[in-house]
Amino acid sequence: MLVDLMDQGKLAQIKTFSQSFSNNPNEKFLLMILCSQAKLENDNRGINVKRGMRAKCAMGWRPMPPPMGYLTNKGDPNNLVIIDPERAFIVKQIFERVATHGHSGRTIRRWLDRIDFKTKNGKRLALSKIYTTFKNTFYYGKFEYPVNSGTWYKGKHEPL
């Protein structure tokens, strides 16, 4: 697109930190080569990141922040996700109230507001987050990555 703008006379010169490209065939050719090389490097980096994420999944660790009730343990590479001592008990109670008493999401929300439950960011739990928690298989010890891919992994974390 940049070279097309130069050909149309709408762009006279491109200056970068280390060099400049003006509207002549050799410099436009060099610009296209450098842009192609940058694109290749970026695409390869994306492939490497995805490979690393799949390897992490194969080891039983979900490559994203843990849900409410869990914390990331940055000090121990063998135990990346630990139970949140402040919130895990409440998350367990949420599931127990739904399973044993048939409570709805709104009933759970009123109960959480009554006990002044807050997320680790200090906010009240939204109703939509409560319903998302009900559906999250991470709490049972399994996770799907990427989401909706059909590829399931058994987590190394302790299920709540």
Side-chain angles (χ1 to χ4, degrees), residues 3 6-7 11-14 20-32:
V3 172
M6 283 182 162
D7 287 342
L11 184 61
Q13 188 178 36
I14 297 173
S20 67
F21 303 94
S22 59
N23 192 5
N24 74 53
N26 289 336
E27 290 185 18
K28 289 190 290 187
F29 179 68
L30 179 60
L31 175 64
M32 291 188 340

Side-chain angles (χ1 to χ4, degrees), residues 62 67-68 91 94-95 105 125-140 147:
R62 189 174 80 152
M68 176 184 58
V91 173
I94 289 172
F95 281 104
L125 201 60
L127 182 60
S128 62
K129 185 67 175 170
I130 293 169
Y131 285 112
T132 303
T133 300
F134 294 159
K135 297 177 188 177
N136 193 340
T137 60
F138 190 83
Y139 294 107
Y140 315 139
V147 176

Side-chain angles (χ1 to χ4, degrees), residues 110-124:
R110 283 192 292 273
W111 170 69
L112 290 173
D113 288 345
R114 218 174 22 253
I115 65 170
D116 198 32
F117 178 78
K118 301 252 173 48
T119 66
K120 63 182 174 184
N121 296 328
K123 297 182 179 180
R124 293 203 182 274

